[in-house]
Amino acid sequence: MSTLKIAIQKSGRLNEDSIQILRDCGISINNGNDQLKAEASNFPLEVLYLRNSDIPQYLIDGVVDLAIVGDNLLVEKGKHIEVIQKLGFSKCKVSVAVPKTFEYNSIQDLAGLRIATSYPNTVNEYFNSFGLKVDIHQISGSVEIAPNIGLADAIVDIVSSGSTLFKNNLREVEVILKSEAVLAVSPKVSPEIQKHIDTLKFRIQAVLRARNSKYILMNVPNDKIDEIGKILPVLRSLTVLPLAQEGWSSVHSVIDKDTFWDVIDKLKEAGAEGILVCPIEKMVL
């Protein structure tokens, strides 16, 4: 049987989240410290731990079949690589930042200036879209220090919380793109490998739906069930079970975690009582 090869970042938060989603899919990965390759014991899958910036080329060359990677990196190095699933974690922005003392009014203020970045293609395309030329200084590592040591006038880099910019007396002035972890596929996968990819994608989607949803059950007067049903974003229809107390039922459904409190308030106003909310481990549609 052929083995699906998937690349993930060898260290850092993206590594941890990538391993976790595979485990949540029921895949047991036998990896130890400092291993560059590990096999799953219960799924035809092999994990390759790679340097983040190398992953797009491995996909293009067909060395790996899949990768969990930030889509900002695909914009930079692999625009033609297909993304088959957004994963919802490792969210960040690729942003333009300038020293706090820099008088910034618009993107035009950066014309002709020195920009330090690890994303030269992204920067070049962005400024070209405004008809502007900048002097790109490609560096890796601590991009934020470049203005402080006189290497650049501004930077373009990944921004998560903004704390690193703040520590280096920088401020974000433009957002080039928003990024998150994605599941990307090589253009050179075989039909047999594609079956494994489809299976893994199905499992990941079940995990993601569960992460984004909550199971809710409540006691509802029978004459309020229709009104409650209009509030709840059900999968197909409400589950309604009669209670021992006449005139009441137990109503079950699934709600989106992002709208949780708004929905709860509306349910209480509509007459629901004894509302319980539970996590969902997996959700298969």
Side-chain angles (χ1 to χ4, degrees):
M1 179 183 290
S2 58
T3 299
L4 172 64
K5 292 185 172 73
I6 183 169
I8 67 172
Q9 185 176 312
K10 65 180 179 180
S11 61
R13 181 64 183 272
L14 184 53
N15 167 277
E16 296 169 8
D17 290 338
S18 301
I19 291 294
Q20 188 59 54
I21 199 168
L22 293 176
R23 287 175 174 161
D24 289 345
C25 288
I27 297 172
S28 179
I29 302 167
N30 303 316
N31 65 303
N33 293 333
D34 301 323
Q35 276 189 273
L36 298 179
K37 187 169 66 171
E39 292 185 359
S41 60
N42 59 350
F43 191 86
L45 180 141
E46 184 177 69
V47 178
L48 278 70
Y49 300 99
L50 303 174
R51 191 170 65 175
N52 201 39
S53 59
D54 292 338
I55 289 176
Q57 193 60 51
Y58 277 79
L59 283 168
I60 292 168
D61 293 341
V63 176
V64 296
D65 307 302
L66 277 180
I68 297 177
V69 64
D71 58 358
N72 60 292
L73 194 59
L74 298 183
V75 170
E76 175 65 22
K77 293 189 172 185
K79 275 198 167 184
H80 301 298
I81 295 173
E82 182 184 3
V83 171
I84 59 172
Q85 182 65 53
K86 292 187 175 183
L87 300 175
F89 56 81
S90 295
K91 292 185 177 182
C92 63
K93 299 173 287 184
V94 176
S95 299
V96 182
V98 299
K100 292 179 180 178
T101 56
F102 187 96
E103 281 194 31
Y104 185 87
N105 297 300
S106 73
I107 195 71
Q108 307 292 331
D109 294 333
L110 298 176
L113 299 186
R114 299 168 299 166
I115 309 291
T117 187
S118 300
Y119 300 92
N121 295 329
T122 303
V123 172
N124 192 50
E125 184 173 328
Y126 179 71
F127 280 95
N128 282 345
S129 70
F130 291 95
L132 301 177
K133 296 294 183 182
V134 292
D135 183 10
I136 297 174
H137 287 243
Q138 183 177 354
I139 60 176
S140 58
S142 302
V143 175
E144 293 87 357
I145 200 174
N148 292 329
I149 61 175
L151 179 64
D153 304 298
I155 69 165
V156 171
D157 201 19
I158 288 177
V159 177
S160 295
S161 65
S163 60
T164 303
L165 294 182
F166 180 80
K167 291 174 184 177
N168 287 277
N169 293 313
L170 300 173
R171 61 188 177 97
E172 181 185 72
V173 292
E174 299 286 344
V175 176
I176 295 179
L177 61 91
K178 293 182 178 180
S179 175
E180 65 182 274
V182 298
L183 190 65
V185 62
S186 168
K188 297 184 178 181
V189 296
S190 67
E192 187 175 2
I193 289 295
Q194 185 61 51
K195 292 180 181 179
H196 296 327
I197 292 174
D198 293 341
T199 300
L200 179 59
K201 180 183 175 182
F202 174 81
R203 293 191 187 188
I204 287 175
Q205 288 175 337
V207 169
L208 294 177
R209 280 193 292 266
R211 287 183 180 181
N212 293 326
S213 304
K214 298 287 185 182
Y215 188 77
I216 186 169
L217 55 157
M218 70 210 79
N219 298 329
V220 178
N222 288 343
D223 61 356
K224 296 289 187 180
I225 290 176
D226 288 343
E227 185 177 350
I228 292 292
K230 294 175 182 177
I231 298 171
L232 289 169
V234 297
L235 298 177
R236 187 178 295 272
S237 65
L238 295 176
T239 299
V240 181
L241 303 173
L243 294 178
Q245 182 177 348
E246 188 174 348
W248 285 77
S249 294
S250 176
V251 175
H252 301 218
S253 187
V254 172
I255 60 174
D256 189 283
K257 70 175 186 178
D258 293 332
T259 59
F260 167 76
W261 287 112
D262 288 338
V263 172
I264 294 296
D265 290 339
K266 292 176 182 177
L267 292 172
K268 289 176 64 180
E269 290 174 4
E273 298 180 3
I275 301 172
L276 299 179
V277 180
C278 308
I280 303 172
E281 185 174 339
K282 306 288 187 297
M283 199 162 98
V284 180
L285 299 181

